[in-house]
Amino acid sequence: MAILKLTDVHISYGNIKAVKGINLEINKGEIVTLIGSNGAGKTTTMNTITGLLKPFKGKIEFKGRDITGKNTSEIVKLGISLAPEGRQVFPRMTVIENLELGGYTRTKSQIIETLGEVFDLFPRLRERKYQEAGTLSGGEQQMLAIGRAMMARPELLLLDEPSMGLAPIIVELVLKAIKKINKLGTTILLVEQNARMALMTADRGYLLETGKIVMAANADILLHSDKIIKAYLGENKED
Ligand SMILES: Nc1ncnc2c1ncn2[C@@H]1O[C@H](COP(=O)(O)OP(=O)(O)OP(=O)(O)O)[C@@H](O)[C@H]1O
Ligand SMILES: [Mg+2]
């Protein structure tokens, strides 16, 4: 059974239709990526899964349960959390305060346990736990955004453009951490504009173009598809 299933989901901002009837499934244990260019509707989809936006048509199921239209805190409690686009850490709060906020639905002892796990995954955050988040580097802020989402101990972790604006070496580090989180048992939906990296990390992928899914396949098939190579992998294309 799919852990997450979107059926004919439509999302609009007033009169503007941003997502036009998408179907998407994620199985337990997978890393699935949603790729597509600027404005394709990736963030809109992520924000709808987490209840920040409501679809005007369609159904979202999590572990067989209808979560369409539920509010965000209910959805977090059920086991989905999001590291949002642009990180959105609280700049005047310390690293540890940001992380504690991510665990707001949990008990103190659970928070302490998961804090240890997050620090093991991102030792840089442990070194900087009393530093104000706004003074962290971009890569460190991304680690913090992922760590904060992990504090809810999600079964499904949504990552919206974790590579954005990071130097290649930091991107590597973040991707390694994403794979490790997945190996430890968390299912992942990864949104990326960087199609190459996303497809190299994921098991399967969906290509979103102007609000519609136009391709869905195993990641290695997408990585070698002419259409994806031409439009999304640019000059670094593989032979
Ligand atoms: N609050 C909003 N009000 C009106 N239109 C919006 C709003 N947010 C997004 N849109 C529009 O919805 C469409 C999808 O936007 P979305 O942010 O989901 O794209 P995206 O795939 O995440 O793009 P990017 O890769 O640039 O982050 C775009 O045309 C965008 O202009
Ligand atoms: Mg986006």
Side-chain angles (χ1 to χ4, degrees):
M1 190 182 69
I3 187 168
L4 184 79
K5 186 172 179 187
L6 272 61
T7 310
D8 194 30
V9 169
H10 296 251
I11 312 153
S12 62
Y13 298 99
N15 291 329
I16 303 162
K17 293 198 166 99
V19 170
K20 305 163 188 165
I22 62 169
N23 296 305
L24 184 149
E25 270 189 46
I26 305 176
N27 298 310
K28 197 169 166 54
E30 281 187 312
I31 301 181
V32 170
T33 183
L34 183 60
I35 55 177
S37 44
N38 288 123
K42 304 181 299 295
T43 297
T44 302
T45 302
M46 296 293 245
N47 288 344
T48 304
I49 296 168
T50 46
L52 297 165
L53 296 169
K54 314 283 178 214
F56 74 83
K57 187 174 167 212
K59 192 168 172 186
I60 303 175
E61 290 160 285
F62 180 59
K63 297 197 290 179
R65 177 172 178 169
D66 190 349
I67 60 162
T68 324
K70 284 198 185 304
N71 66 39
T72 302
S73 66
E74 272 179 283
I75 291 173
V76 171
K77 273 191 197 142
L78 288 171
I80 302 180
S81 65
L82 167 73
E85 184 176 20
R87 298 147 201 162
Q88 297 179 24
V89 299
F90 297 101
R92 303 303 302 274
M93 293 170 72
T94 63
V95 165
I96 203 154
E97 285 165 347
N98 269 275
L99 291 172
E100 282 168 355
L101 270 183
Y104 78 99
T105 57
R106 306 178 68 221
T107 66
K108 188 132 201 189
S109 64
Q110 287 174 323
I111 288 179
I112 290 167
E113 188 188 338
T114 312
L115 261 181
E117 293 168 6
V118 170
F119 286 149
D120 288 346
L121 194 68
F122 297 116
R124 283 211 205 182
L125 295 182
R126 178 180 274 125
E127 289 163 19
R128 289 157 200 278
K129 61 182 158 190
Y130 302 118
Q131 188 171 325
E132 278 190 2
T135 65
L136 296 172
S137 72
E140 289 160 356
Q141 288 191 25
Q142 186 58 61
M143 295 171 202
L144 180 56
I146 297 173
R148 188 178 57 188
M150 286 176 65
M151 289 300 296
R153 260 285 178 76
E155 284 180 64
L156 175 64
L157 176 63
L158 309 181
L159 301 167
D160 194 347
E161 306 237 19
S163 76
M164 196 176 5
L166 304 184
I169 190 163
I170 306 296
V171 171
E172 285 289 311
L173 208 151
V174 168
L175 285 181
K176 266 198 190 138
I178 292 170
K179 284 195 169 167
K180 198 161 171 192
I181 294 166
N182 176 250
K183 283 229 165 66
L184 293 170
T186 308
T187 306
I188 290 176
L189 176 58
L190 173 65
V191 155
E192 271 293 340
Q193 259 190 64
N194 186 334
R196 169 180 305 281
M197 273 187 17
L199 291 171
M200 287 174 69
T201 308
D203 302 303
R204 287 192 302 118
Y206 290 84
L207 173 60
L208 191 62
E209 280 183 350
T210 56
K212 289 190 173 152
I213 303 279
V214 294
M215 284 182 91
N218 283 342
D220 53 344
I221 292 177
L222 294 178
L223 209 44
H224 294 97
S225 115
D226 283 347
K227 177 178 167 64
I228 301 242
I229 290 172
K230 270 206 196 98
Y232 299 94
L233 300 180
E235 295 180 354
N236 302 319
K237 76 175 183 187
E238 287 182 341
D239 293 320

